[in-house]
Amino acid sequence: MGLFNSCGVCLHLLTLPDPVMFVPRSEDPAVETAEEAKEPAEADINELCKDMFSKMATYLTGELTATSEDYKLLENMNKLTSLKYLEMKDIAINISRNLKDLNQKYAALQPYLEQINLIEEQVAALEQAAYKLDAYSKKLEAKYKKLEKR
């Protein structure tokens, strides 16, 4: 079991293994020597713990604020969508009402439309009779002229 400091951090976990000394090759100028690792002082650990918890609190506050803002955005979007659907419902009701009015007017005009269709059929029949009469009169005229020449 490890020892715990005042922040509740296990000091055993903070201890570093025994330092290993590396001997650089003299021909490689880029290699540096390792220095001996030292344990941070107790005051440094306490300060680091406080800093860590402060930063964690700031992070968690930011995450919760972002989540809260997301939910507020969703709530606003739902309200706007609801209003749009209410507008669409009103439009659909008006269209339905207008369609019923048009159907009633069409039903009221239906007898007149039937009369118009009947008159149109009679006019077509009369037109055909007029064409036949015209053709017959042309034949008679031709016969008359033929008889007149004799």
Side-chain angles (χ1 to χ4, degrees), residues 50-107:
K50 288 178 186 175
D51 186 45
M52 178 193 68
F53 284 119
S54 170
K55 288 180 179 177
M56 185 61 78
T58 303
Y59 168 75
L60 291 175
T61 302
E63 286 292 317
L64 292 174
T65 301
T67 303
S68 175
E69 292 298 319
D70 287 345
Y71 280 119
K72 286 178 185 176
L73 177 64
L74 282 173
E75 182 181 8
N76 288 337
M77 289 171 62
N78 283 339
K79 286 178 182 176
L80 288 173
T81 303
S82 176
L83 290 174
K84 270 294 188 200
Y85 281 132
L86 285 175
E87 288 176 13
M88 290 170 60
K89 176 187 161 198
D90 290 341
I91 290 170
I93 288 171
N94 287 335
I95 289 172
S96 175
R97 187 180 312 122
N98 291 338
L99 185 60
K100 285 179 184 177
D101 290 345
L102 283 174
N103 284 336
Q104 289 174 350
K105 289 176 182 177
Y106 180 76

Short mmCIF file of all heavy atoms in Angstrom, two decimals, residues 50-107:
data_model
loop_
_atom_site.label_atom_id
_atom_site.label_comp_id
_atom_site.label_asym_id
_atom_site.label_seq_id
_atom_site.Cartn_x
_atom_site.Cartn_y
_atom_site.Cartn_z
N LYS A 50 -3.98 20.84 -6.23
CA LYS A 50 -4.97 21.93 -6.27
C LYS A 50 -5.16 22.42 -7.70
O LYS A 50 -6.28 22.65 -8.15
CB LYS A 50 -4.52 23.07 -5.37
CG LYS A 50 -4.63 22.78 -3.90
CD LYS A 50 -4.13 23.95 -3.07
CE LYS A 50 -4.10 23.58 -1.59
NZ LYS A 50 -3.51 24.63 -0.77
N ASP A 51 -4.06 22.56 -8.41
CA ASP A 51 -4.13 23.02 -9.80
C ASP A 51 -4.89 22.00 -10.66
O ASP A 51 -5.74 22.37 -11.48
CB ASP A 51 -2.71 23.23 -10.34
CG ASP A 51 -2.72 23.84 -11.73
OD1 ASP A 51 -3.49 24.80 -11.95
OD2 ASP A 51 -1.96 23.35 -12.58
N MET A 52 -4.59 20.71 -10.45
CA MET A 52 -5.27 19.66 -11.21
C MET A 52 -6.78 19.68 -10.94
O MET A 52 -7.59 19.64 -11.86
CB MET A 52 -4.71 18.29 -10.85
CG MET A 52 -5.43 17.15 -11.59
SD MET A 52 -5.08 15.52 -10.94
CE MET A 52 -5.83 15.57 -9.34
N PHE A 53 -7.18 19.75 -9.67
CA PHE A 53 -8.60 19.76 -9.33
C PHE A 53 -9.28 21.02 -9.86
O PHE A 53 -10.41 20.99 -10.32
CB PHE A 53 -8.81 19.60 -7.83
CG PHE A 53 -8.61 18.20 -7.35
CD1 PHE A 53 -7.62 17.90 -6.43
CD2 PHE A 53 -9.39 17.17 -7.85
CE1 PHE A 53 -7.43 16.60 -5.99
CE2 PHE A 53 -9.20 15.87 -7.42
CZ PHE A 53 -8.22 15.57 -6.49
N SER A 54 -8.58 22.14 -9.82
CA SER A 54 -9.14 23.39 -10.35
C SER A 54 -9.37 23.28 -11.85
O SER A 54 -10.44 23.64 -12.36
CB SER A 54 -8.19 24.54 -10.03
OG SER A 54 -8.59 25.70 -10.71
N LYS A 55 -8.38 22.75 -12.55
CA LYS A 55 -8.51 22.60 -13.99
C LYS A 55 -9.57 21.55 -14.36
O LYS A 55 -10.32 21.73 -15.33
CB LYS A 55 -7.17 22.24 -14.62
CG LYS A 55 -6.22 23.42 -14.61
CD LYS A 55 -4.89 23.10 -15.22
CE LYS A 55 -4.00 24.34 -15.18
NZ LYS A 55 -2.67 24.07 -15.69
N MET A 56 -9.65 20.49 -13.57
CA MET A 56 -10.68 19.47 -13.80
C MET A 56 -12.06 20.07 -13.57
O MET A 56 -13.00 19.80 -14.34
CB MET A 56 -10.46 18.27 -12.88
CG MET A 56 -11.42 17.13 -13.13
SD MET A 56 -11.29 16.43 -14.79
CE MET A 56 -9.85 15.45 -14.62
N ALA A 57 -12.21 20.88 -12.54
CA ALA A 57 -13.49 21.54 -12.27
C ALA A 57 -13.86 22.48 -13.42
O ALA A 57 -15.02 22.52 -13.86
CB ALA A 57 -13.43 22.30 -10.96
N THR A 58 -12.86 23.22 -13.92
CA THR A 58 -13.12 24.11 -15.06
C THR A 58 -13.53 23.31 -16.29
O THR A 58 -14.48 23.67 -17.00
CB THR A 58 -11.86 24.94 -15.37
OG1 THR A 58 -11.48 25.68 -14.20
CG2 THR A 58 -12.09 25.90 -16.52
N TYR A 59 -12.85 22.21 -16.53
CA TYR A 59 -13.18 21.36 -17.67
C TYR A 59 -14.59 20.80 -17.55
O TYR A 59 -15.38 20.86 -18.50
CB TYR A 59 -12.15 20.22 -17.77
CG TYR A 59 -12.56 19.13 -18.73
CD1 TYR A 59 -12.46 19.33 -20.10
CD2 TYR A 59 -13.06 17.92 -18.27
CE1 TYR A 59 -12.84 18.33 -20.99
CE2 TYR A 59 -13.44 16.92 -19.15
CZ TYR A 59 -13.33 17.14 -20.51
OH TYR A 59 -13.71 16.16 -21.37
N LEU A 60 -14.91 20.24 -16.38
CA LEU A 60 -16.24 19.65 -16.18
C LEU A 60 -17.33 20.71 -16.26
O LEU A 60 -18.41 20.46 -16.81
CB LEU A 60 -16.30 18.90 -14.85
CG LEU A 60 -15.46 17.62 -14.79
CD1 LEU A 60 -15.49 17.03 -13.39
CD2 LEU A 60 -15.95 16.61 -15.82
N THR A 61 -17.04 21.91 -15.74
CA THR A 61 -18.01 23.01 -15.84
C THR A 61 -18.24 23.35 -17.30
O THR A 61 -19.38 23.55 -17.73
CB THR A 61 -17.50 24.24 -15.08
OG1 THR A 61 -17.29 23.89 -13.71
CG2 THR A 61 -18.50 25.39 -15.16
N GLY A 62 -17.18 23.40 -18.08
CA GLY A 62 -17.31 23.67 -19.51
C GLY A 62 -18.11 22.60 -20.22
O GLY A 62 -18.98 22.89 -21.06
N GLU A 63 -17.86 21.34 -19.90
CA GLU A 63 -18.60 20.23 -20.51
C GLU A 63 -20.08 20.31 -20.15
O GLU A 63 -20.95 20.15 -21.01
CB GLU A 63 -18.03 18.88 -20.06
CG GLU A 63 -16.72 18.51 -20.70
CD GLU A 63 -16.86 18.22 -22.19
OE1 GLU A 63 -17.81 17.54 -22.58
OE2 GLU A 63 -16.00 18.70 -22.95
N LEU A 64 -20.37 20.57 -18.88
CA LEU A 64 -21.77 20.67 -18.46
C LEU A 64 -22.45 21.88 -19.07
O LEU A 64 -23.62 21.83 -19.46
CB LEU A 64 -21.86 20.71 -16.93
CG LEU A 64 -21.47 19.41 -16.23
CD1 LEU A 64 -21.46 19.60 -14.73
CD2 LEU A 64 -22.41 18.28 -16.61
N THR A 65 -21.71 22.98 -19.19
CA THR A 65 -22.27 24.18 -19.82
C THR A 65 -22.57 23.90 -21.29
O THR A 65 -23.64 24.28 -21.79
CB THR A 65 -21.29 25.35 -19.69
OG1 THR A 65 -21.03 25.59 -18.31
CG2 THR A 65 -21.85 26.62 -20.32
N ALA A 66 -21.66 23.23 -21.98
CA ALA A 66 -21.88 22.90 -23.39
C ALA A 66 -23.10 22.00 -23.54
O ALA A 66 -23.94 22.20 -24.43
CB ALA A 66 -20.65 22.24 -23.98
N THR A 67 -23.22 21.01 -22.68
CA THR A 67 -24.37 20.10 -22.73
C THR A 67 -25.65 20.86 -22.46
O THR A 67 -26.66 20.67 -23.14
CB THR A 67 -24.20 18.96 -21.71
OG1 THR A 67 -22.98 18.28 -21.98
CG2 THR A 67 -25.35 17.98 -21.77
N SER A 68 -25.60 21.74 -21.47
CA SER A 68 -26.78 22.56 -21.15
C SER A 68 -27.17 23.44 -22.33
O SER A 68 -28.35 23.57 -22.66
CB SER A 68 -26.48 23.42 -19.91
OG SER A 68 -27.54 24.30 -19.65
N GLU A 69 -26.18 24.04 -22.97
CA GLU A 69 -26.45 24.89 -24.14
C GLU A 69 -27.03 24.06 -25.29
O GLU A 69 -27.91 24.52 -26.00
CB GLU A 69 -25.17 25.60 -24.59
CG GLU A 69 -24.66 26.65 -23.62
CD GLU A 69 -25.65 27.78 -23.41
OE1 GLU A 69 -26.28 28.23 -24.38
OE2 GLU A 69 -25.79 28.21 -22.25
N ASP A 70 -26.52 22.82 -25.45
CA ASP A 70 -27.08 21.94 -26.49
C ASP A 70 -28.55 21.66 -26.22
O ASP A 70 -29.38 21.69 -27.13
CB ASP A 70 -26.31 20.62 -26.56
CG ASP A 70 -24.93 20.77 -27.18
OD1 ASP A 70 -24.67 21.81 -27.82
OD2 ASP A 70 -24.12 19.83 -27.03
N TYR A 71 -28.88 21.39 -24.96
CA TYR A 71 -30.29 21.13 -24.63
C TYR A 71 -31.15 22.37 -24.81
O TYR A 71 -32.29 22.28 -25.26
CB TYR A 71 -30.42 20.60 -23.20
CG TYR A 71 -30.10 19.13 -23.09
CD1 TYR A 71 -29.05 18.67 -22.30
CD2 TYR A 71 -30.83 18.18 -23.80
CE1 TYR A 71 -28.76 17.32 -22.21
CE2 TYR A 71 -30.53 16.84 -23.72
CZ TYR A 71 -29.50 16.42 -22.92
OH TYR A 71 -29.21 15.09 -22.84
N LYS A 72 -30.61 23.54 -24.51
CA LYS A 72 -31.36 24.78 -24.74
C LYS A 72 -31.60 24.99 -26.22
O LYS A 72 -32.69 25.39 -26.63
CB LYS A 72 -30.62 25.98 -24.15
CG LYS A 72 -30.66 26.06 -22.64
CD LYS A 72 -29.87 27.25 -22.12
CE LYS A 72 -29.83 27.24 -20.60
NZ LYS A 72 -28.99 28.32 -20.08
N LEU A 73 -30.57 24.70 -27.03
CA LEU A 73 -30.72 24.81 -28.48
C LEU A 73 -31.78 23.85 -28.99
O LEU A 73 -32.64 24.22 -29.80
CB LEU A 73 -29.38 24.54 -29.16
CG LEU A 73 -29.39 24.55 -30.69
CD1 LEU A 73 -29.75 25.94 -31.21
CD2 LEU A 73 -28.04 24.12 -31.23
N LEU A 74 -31.76 22.61 -28.52
CA LEU A 74 -32.77 21.63 -28.92
C LEU A 74 -34.16 22.08 -28.49
O LEU A 74 -35.13 21.92 -29.25
CB LEU A 74 -32.46 20.27 -28.31
CG LEU A 74 -31.37 19.46 -28.99
CD1 LEU A 74 -31.06 18.21 -28.19
CD2 LEU A 74 -31.80 19.08 -30.39
N GLU A 75 -34.26 22.65 -27.30
CA GLU A 75 -35.55 23.14 -26.82
C GLU A 75 -36.06 24.26 -27.73
O GLU A 75 -37.24 24.27 -28.12
CB GLU A 75 -35.41 23.65 -25.38
CG GLU A 75 -36.71 24.13 -24.78
CD GLU A 75 -36.53 24.65 -23.36
OE1 GLU A 75 -35.39 24.77 -22.88
OE2 GLU A 75 -37.56 24.96 -22.74
N ASN A 76 -35.19 25.19 -28.09
CA ASN A 76 -35.59 26.28 -28.99
C ASN A 76 -35.99 25.75 -30.37
O ASN A 76 -36.97 26.22 -30.97
CB ASN A 76 -34.47 27.31 -29.12
CG ASN A 76 -34.29 28.13 -27.87
OD1 ASN A 76 -35.21 28.26 -27.06
ND2 ASN A 76 -33.11 28.68 -27.67
N MET A 77 -35.22 24.78 -30.86
CA MET A 77 -35.55 24.19 -32.15
C MET A 77 -36.91 23.49 -32.09
O MET A 77 -37.72 23.60 -33.03
CB MET A 77 -34.47 23.21 -32.58
CG MET A 77 -33.17 23.88 -32.99
SD MET A 77 -31.80 22.73 -33.25
CE MET A 77 -32.39 21.75 -34.59
N ASN A 78 -37.19 22.80 -30.98
CA ASN A 78 -38.48 22.13 -30.83
C ASN A 78 -39.62 23.15 -30.77
O ASN A 78 -40.68 22.94 -31.36
CB ASN A 78 -38.50 21.26 -29.58
CG ASN A 78 -37.75 19.97 -29.76
OD1 ASN A 78 -37.54 19.53 -30.88
ND2 ASN A 78 -37.33 19.38 -28.67
N LYS A 79 -39.39 24.27 -30.10
CA LYS A 79 -40.42 25.31 -30.02
C LYS A 79 -40.70 25.89 -31.41
O LYS A 79 -41.86 26.07 -31.79
CB LYS A 79 -40.00 26.42 -29.07
CG LYS A 79 -40.08 26.02 -27.60
CD LYS A 79 -39.61 27.15 -26.70
CE LYS A 79 -39.63 26.73 -25.23
NZ LYS A 79 -39.10 27.77 -24.35
N LEU A 80 -39.62 26.19 -32.15
CA LEU A 80 -39.80 26.73 -33.50
C LEU A 80 -40.49 25.72 -34.42
O LEU A 80 -41.36 26.09 -35.21
CB LEU A 80 -38.45 27.13 -34.09
CG LEU A 80 -37.82 28.39 -33.49
CD1 LEU A 80 -36.41 28.60 -34.05
CD2 LEU A 80 -38.68 29.60 -33.78
N THR A 81 -40.12 24.47 -34.30
CA THR A 81 -40.76 23.43 -35.11
C THR A 81 -42.23 23.33 -34.77
O THR A 81 -43.08 23.21 -35.66
CB THR A 81 -40.06 22.07 -34.89
OG1 THR A 81 -38.67 22.21 -35.20
CG2 THR A 81 -40.67 20.99 -35.75
N SER A 82 -42.54 23.40 -33.50
CA SER A 82 -43.93 23.36 -33.06
C SER A 82 -44.72 24.54 -33.64
O SER A 82 -45.85 24.36 -34.13
CB SER A 82 -43.99 23.38 -31.53
OG SER A 82 -45.31 23.43 -31.09
N LEU A 83 -44.12 25.72 -33.63
CA LEU A 83 -44.79 26.89 -34.20
C LEU A 83 -45.00 26.71 -35.71
O LEU A 83 -46.05 27.06 -36.25
CB LEU A 83 -43.99 28.16 -33.92
CG LEU A 83 -43.97 28.64 -32.47
CD1 LEU A 83 -43.02 29.82 -32.32
CD2 LEU A 83 -45.36 29.02 -32.02
N LYS A 84 -43.99 26.17 -36.39
CA LYS A 84 -44.11 25.94 -37.83
C LYS A 84 -45.25 24.96 -38.12
O LYS A 84 -46.03 25.15 -39.04
CB LYS A 84 -42.81 25.38 -38.41
CG LYS A 84 -41.85 26.40 -38.89
CD LYS A 84 -42.43 27.14 -40.06
CE LYS A 84 -41.39 28.02 -40.67
NZ LYS A 84 -41.92 29.07 -41.48
N TYR A 85 -45.34 23.90 -37.31
CA TYR A 85 -46.41 22.93 -37.51
C TYR A 85 -47.78 23.56 -37.24
O TYR A 85 -48.75 23.23 -37.92
CB TYR A 85 -46.21 21.69 -36.65
CG TYR A 85 -45.20 20.72 -37.21
CD1 TYR A 85 -44.20 20.19 -36.42
CD2 TYR A 85 -45.24 20.34 -38.54
CE1 TYR A 85 -43.27 19.30 -36.93
CE2 TYR A 85 -44.33 19.46 -39.07
CZ TYR A 85 -43.34 18.94 -38.26
OH TYR A 85 -42.43 18.06 -38.78
N LEU A 86 -47.85 24.45 -36.26
CA LEU A 86 -49.11 25.14 -36.01
C LEU A 86 -49.49 26.02 -37.20
O LEU A 86 -50.66 26.06 -37.61
CB LEU A 86 -49.03 25.99 -34.73
CG LEU A 86 -49.09 25.22 -33.42
CD1 LEU A 86 -48.87 26.17 -32.24
CD2 LEU A 86 -50.42 24.50 -33.27
N GLU A 87 -48.50 26.71 -37.78
CA GLU A 87 -48.77 27.52 -38.97
C GLU A 87 -49.23 26.64 -40.13
O GLU A 87 -50.18 26.98 -40.83
CB GLU A 87 -47.50 28.28 -39.39
CG GLU A 87 -47.12 29.42 -38.48
CD GLU A 87 -45.81 30.08 -38.88
OE1 GLU A 87 -45.31 29.80 -40.00
OE2 GLU A 87 -45.28 30.85 -38.08
N MET A 88 -48.55 25.51 -40.31
CA MET A 88 -48.92 24.60 -41.38
C MET A 88 -50.32 24.03 -41.14
O MET A 88 -51.10 23.84 -42.10
CB MET A 88 -47.90 23.47 -41.50
CG MET A 88 -46.55 23.93 -42.03
SD MET A 88 -45.23 22.71 -41.92
CE MET A 88 -45.86 21.39 -42.90
N LYS A 89 -50.68 23.79 -39.89
CA LYS A 89 -52.01 23.30 -39.56
C LYS A 89 -53.05 24.35 -39.93
O LYS A 89 -54.09 24.02 -40.54
CB LYS A 89 -52.09 22.98 -38.06
CG LYS A 89 -53.46 22.55 -37.59
CD LYS A 89 -53.48 22.42 -36.09
CE LYS A 89 -54.91 22.44 -35.59
NZ LYS A 89 -54.98 22.72 -34.18
N ASP A 90 -52.78 25.61 -39.60
CA ASP A 90 -53.71 26.69 -39.95
C ASP A 90 -53.87 26.80 -41.47
O ASP A 90 -54.98 26.97 -41.98
CB ASP A 90 -53.23 28.02 -39.38
CG ASP A 90 -53.35 28.08 -37.86
OD1 ASP A 90 -54.11 27.27 -37.29
OD2 ASP A 90 -52.67 28.92 -37.25
N ILE A 91 -52.75 26.68 -42.18
CA ILE A 91 -52.80 26.75 -43.65
C ILE A 91 -53.63 25.58 -44.19
O ILE A 91 -54.47 25.76 -45.08
CB ILE A 91 -51.38 26.75 -44.24
CG1 ILE A 91 -50.69 28.08 -43.91
CG2 ILE A 91 -51.40 26.51 -45.74
CD1 ILE A 91 -49.20 28.11 -44.23
N ALA A 92 -53.41 24.39 -43.64
CA ALA A 92 -54.16 23.22 -44.10
C ALA A 92 -55.65 23.37 -43.81
O ALA A 92 -56.49 22.99 -44.64
CB ALA A 92 -53.61 21.96 -43.44
N ILE A 93 -55.98 23.95 -42.66
CA ILE A 93 -57.40 24.18 -42.32
C ILE A 93 -58.01 25.16 -43.31
O ILE A 93 -59.13 24.95 -43.80
CB ILE A 93 -57.53 24.68 -40.86
CG1 ILE A 93 -57.25 23.53 -39.89
CG2 ILE A 93 -58.91 25.27 -40.61
CD1 ILE A 93 -57.14 23.96 -38.44
N ASN A 94 -57.28 26.24 -43.64
CA ASN A 94 -57.79 27.21 -44.61
C ASN A 94 -57.97 26.58 -46.00
O ASN A 94 -58.96 26.84 -46.68
CB ASN A 94 -56.85 28.42 -44.70
CG ASN A 94 -56.96 29.31 -43.48
OD1 ASN A 94 -57.96 29.34 -42.80
ND2 ASN A 94 -55.90 30.05 -43.21
N ILE A 95 -57.01 25.77 -46.40
CA ILE A 95 -57.11 25.10 -47.70
C ILE A 95 -58.32 24.17 -47.70
O ILE A 95 -59.09 24.14 -48.67
CB ILE A 95 -55.82 24.34 -48.02
CG1 ILE A 95 -54.69 25.32 -48.32
CG2 ILE A 95 -56.01 23.37 -49.18
CD1 ILE A 95 -53.33 24.69 -48.48
N SER A 96 -58.51 23.44 -46.63
CA SER A 96 -59.64 22.53 -46.53
C SER A 96 -60.96 23.29 -46.60
O SER A 96 -61.89 22.89 -47.31
CB SER A 96 -59.56 21.74 -45.22
OG SER A 96 -60.70 20.94 -45.05
N ARG A 97 -61.03 24.40 -45.89
CA ARG A 97 -62.24 25.23 -45.89
C ARG A 97 -62.51 25.78 -47.30
O ARG A 97 -63.64 25.73 -47.79
CB ARG A 97 -62.10 26.39 -44.90
CG ARG A 97 -63.37 27.20 -44.72
CD ARG A 97 -63.22 28.35 -43.72
NE ARG A 97 -62.59 27.94 -42.47
CZ ARG A 97 -61.47 28.48 -41.98
NH1 ARG A 97 -60.85 29.44 -42.65
NH2 ARG A 97 -60.97 28.07 -40.84
N ASN A 98 -61.48 26.28 -47.95
CA ASN A 98 -61.63 26.80 -49.31
C ASN A 98 -62.03 25.70 -50.29
O ASN A 98 -62.84 25.94 -51.20
CB ASN A 98 -60.34 27.47 -49.78
CG ASN A 98 -60.06 28.77 -49.04
OD1 ASN A 98 -60.97 29.38 -48.48
ND2 ASN A 98 -58.81 29.17 -49.02
N LEU A 99 -61.47 24.50 -50.11
CA LEU A 99 -61.83 23.39 -50.98
C LEU A 99 -63.29 23.00 -50.80
O LEU A 99 -64.00 22.73 -51.78
CB LEU A 99 -60.92 22.19 -50.70
CG LEU A 99 -61.09 20.98 -51.60
CD1 LEU A 99 -60.81 21.35 -53.05
CD2 LEU A 99 -60.17 19.87 -51.16
N LYS A 100 -63.78 23.01 -49.56
CA LYS A 100 -65.19 22.72 -49.32
C LYS A 100 -66.07 23.78 -49.97
O LYS A 100 -67.10 23.45 -50.59
CB LYS A 100 -65.48 22.67 -47.81
CG LYS A 100 -64.99 21.42 -47.14
CD LYS A 100 -65.28 21.43 -45.65
CE LYS A 100 -64.69 20.22 -44.97
NZ LYS A 100 -64.89 20.25 -43.52
N ASP A 101 -65.67 25.05 -49.87
CA ASP A 101 -66.43 26.13 -50.51
C ASP A 101 -66.48 25.93 -52.03
O ASP A 101 -67.53 26.08 -52.65
CB ASP A 101 -65.82 27.50 -50.19
CG ASP A 101 -66.03 27.91 -48.74
OD1 ASP A 101 -66.87 27.30 -48.05
OD2 ASP A 101 -65.33 28.86 -48.29
N LEU A 102 -65.32 25.60 -52.61
CA LEU A 102 -65.27 25.37 -54.06
C LEU A 102 -66.14 24.19 -54.46
O LEU A 102 -66.83 24.25 -55.49
CB LEU A 102 -63.83 25.14 -54.52
CG LEU A 102 -62.96 26.38 -54.63
CD1 LEU A 102 -61.52 25.98 -54.96
CD2 LEU A 102 -63.49 27.33 -55.67
N ASN A 103 -66.12 23.12 -53.68
CA ASN A 103 -66.96 21.96 -53.99
C ASN A 103 -68.44 22.32 -53.91
O ASN A 103 -69.23 21.86 -54.73
CB ASN A 103 -66.64 20.80 -53.05
CG ASN A 103 -65.35 20.10 -53.42
OD1 ASN A 103 -64.93 20.15 -54.57
ND2 ASN A 103 -64.72 19.46 -52.45
N GLN A 104 -68.81 23.14 -52.92
CA GLN A 104 -70.21 23.57 -52.82
C GLN A 104 -70.60 24.43 -54.01
O GLN A 104 -71.69 24.27 -54.58
CB GLN A 104 -70.44 24.33 -51.51
CG GLN A 104 -70.41 23.46 -50.27
CD GLN A 104 -70.49 24.28 -48.98
OE1 GLN A 104 -70.39 25.50 -49.00
NE2 GLN A 104 -70.65 23.57 -47.86
N LYS A 105 -69.72 25.34 -54.41
CA LYS A 105 -70.01 26.19 -55.56
C LYS A 105 -70.11 25.36 -56.84
O LYS A 105 -70.99 25.61 -57.68
CB LYS A 105 -68.94 27.28 -55.72
CG LYS A 105 -69.01 28.33 -54.63
CD LYS A 105 -67.89 29.33 -54.74
CE LYS A 105 -67.96 30.34 -53.60
NZ LYS A 105 -66.85 31.28 -53.63
N TYR A 106 -69.22 24.38 -56.96
CA TYR A 106 -69.27 23.50 -58.14
C TYR A 106 -70.57 22.72 -58.16
O TYR A 106 -71.21 22.57 -59.22
CB TYR A 106 -68.07 22.56 -58.14
CG TYR A 106 -68.04 21.64 -59.33
CD1 TYR A 106 -67.65 22.10 -60.57
CD2 TYR A 106 -68.41 20.30 -59.21
CE1 TYR A 106 -67.63 21.27 -61.68
CE2 TYR A 106 -68.40 19.46 -60.30
CZ TYR A 106 -68.01 19.94 -61.53
OH TYR A 106 -67.99 19.11 -62.62
N ALA A 107 -70.99 22.23 -56.98
CA ALA A 107 -72.26 21.49 -56.90
C ALA A 107 -73.43 22.39 -57.27
O ALA A 107 -74.38 21.96 -57.92
CB ALA A 107 -72.43 20.91 -55.50
#
